[in-house]
Amino acid sequence: MDTTDTTPWYKQFWPWFVICIPLSSVIVAVFQVYFALNSPRDLVKDNYYKEGLGINQELGRKQLASDLGISAKLTIDNLTGEIIVASQNAVNPSLTLNFYHVASAEKDFNVALQKISDNQYRGSLKKSISGNWNVSIESEKGWKLSGRLDLTLSNELDLTP
């Protein structure tokens, strides 16, 4: 008695099981390539070499703020959009406040701050903001202060060089 299985290969379980392993790898690879080509590249700088060279200049601006004894306290009122900066030793007639979103460069913006009294500046937001932001205050004379603001915890930030 001969008990040879005569069903065709495509009706068997094991050939399909063996074929599914590399096929699933190909499908995953296609999805990865698709998402890699179509995802935003905000976190990757195209000119990283120039960015690296600019770090020394950036450190020089922060050192200038330290040498001048400049510090600031930033307060944001999200209801009215008013920004108050109480500074120490800043004598500029105006400053620039830059907001850099931690994940998306499309959300970055800046606010012009005008001097309202000695060592106090005011500006206004065009829209309400929330979440985490990298913040920097710059002067026309070249000094810079920076810090990280988490609006979920506080609406105030002390900026020191």
Side-chain angles (χ1 to χ4, degrees):
M1 242 191 194
D2 192 9
T3 60
T4 307
D5 190 10
T6 59
T7 58
W9 70 271
Y10 54 85
K11 291 185 178 180
Q12 299 287 330
F13 168 75
W14 289 108
W16 290 111
F17 179 77
V18 172
I19 290 171
C20 285
I21 294 172
L23 183 64
S24 64
S25 298
V26 170
I27 292 170
V28 168
V30 168
F31 275 112
Q32 287 179 341
V33 168
Y34 173 78
F35 286 123
L37 294 176
N38 294 319
S39 63
R41 295 170 192 82
D42 288 346
L43 299 177
V44 178
K45 299 284 185 182
D46 289 334
N47 55 355
Y48 63 91
Y49 182 73
K50 289 181 183 178
E51 291 278 333
L53 292 176
I55 289 174
N56 290 337
Q57 186 178 25
E58 184 77 17
L59 293 174
R61 296 175 70 193
K62 290 181 180 182
Q63 184 61 43
L64 179 61
S66 178
D67 293 344
L68 295 172
I70 297 173
S71 63
K73 182 175 184 175
L74 170 71
T75 306
I76 298 176
D77 185 353
N78 236 348
L79 294 176
T80 63
E82 184 178 44
I83 299 172
I84 299 292
V85 175
S87 66
Q88 185 176 15
N89 299 329
V91 294
N92 305 75
S94 66
L95 299 174
T96 303
L97 176 62
N98 300 307
F99 288 88
Y100 303 104
H101 194 268
V102 295
S104 176
E106 295 172 357
K107 296 181 180 179
D108 295 353
F109 65 97
N110 57 17
V111 175
L113 301 173
Q114 299 300 319
K115 190 172 194 173
I116 56 174
S117 66
D118 287 342
N119 294 323
Q120 197 161 23
Y121 297 84
R122 182 189 323 172
S124 62
L125 293 172
K126 294 182 176 144
K127 61 181 179 178
S128 174
I129 60 172
S130 62
N132 291 324
W133 294 85
N134 292 322
V135 178
S136 69
I137 296 177
E138 300 177 1
S139 74
E140 294 124 15
K141 296 187 179 186
W143 57 263
K144 181 177 183 177
L145 300 174
S146 61
R148 186 166 206 161
L149 177 63
D150 186 358
L151 290 168
T152 59
L153 300 176
S154 173
N155 61 345
E156 295 182 353
L157 175 67
D158 290 323
L159 298 164
T160 57

Short mmCIF file of all heavy atoms in Angstrom, two decimals, residues 1-5:
data_model
loop_
_atom_site.label_atom_id
_atom_site.label_comp_id
_atom_site.label_asym_id
_atom_site.label_seq_id
_atom_site.Cartn_x
_atom_site.Cartn_y
_atom_site.Cartn_z
N MET A 1 0.80 -1.18 0.00
CA MET A 1 0.00 0.00 0.00
C MET A 1 0.86 1.26 0.00
O MET A 1 1.66 1.45 0.89
CB MET A 1 -0.78 -0.03 1.28
CG MET A 1 -2.17 -0.08 1.00
SD MET A 1 -3.28 0.16 2.23
CE MET A 1 -4.55 -0.44 1.29
N ASP A 2 0.61 2.09 -0.96
CA ASP A 2 1.36 3.33 -1.08
C ASP A 2 0.49 4.49 -0.57
O ASP A 2 -0.60 4.71 -1.06
CB ASP A 2 1.72 3.53 -2.55
CG ASP A 2 2.72 4.63 -2.73
OD1 ASP A 2 3.26 5.10 -1.72
OD2 ASP A 2 2.95 5.02 -3.88
N THR A 3 1.02 5.23 0.43
CA THR A 3 0.24 6.34 1.03
C THR A 3 0.86 7.69 0.67
O THR A 3 0.97 8.57 1.48
CB THR A 3 0.20 6.18 2.56
OG1 THR A 3 1.53 6.22 3.03
CG2 THR A 3 -0.53 4.94 2.94
N THR A 4 1.26 7.86 -0.52
CA THR A 4 1.86 9.11 -0.97
C THR A 4 0.78 10.18 -1.10
O THR A 4 -0.28 9.94 -1.67
CB THR A 4 2.55 8.90 -2.32
OG1 THR A 4 3.45 7.81 -2.19
CG2 THR A 4 3.29 10.13 -2.75
N ASP A 5 1.10 11.35 -0.57
CA ASP A 5 0.15 12.47 -0.65
C ASP A 5 0.22 13.05 -2.05
O ASP A 5 1.28 13.47 -2.52
CB ASP A 5 0.53 13.52 0.40
CG ASP A 5 -0.53 14.58 0.54
OD1 ASP A 5 -1.62 14.42 -0.01
OD2 ASP A 5 -0.24 15.58 1.23
#
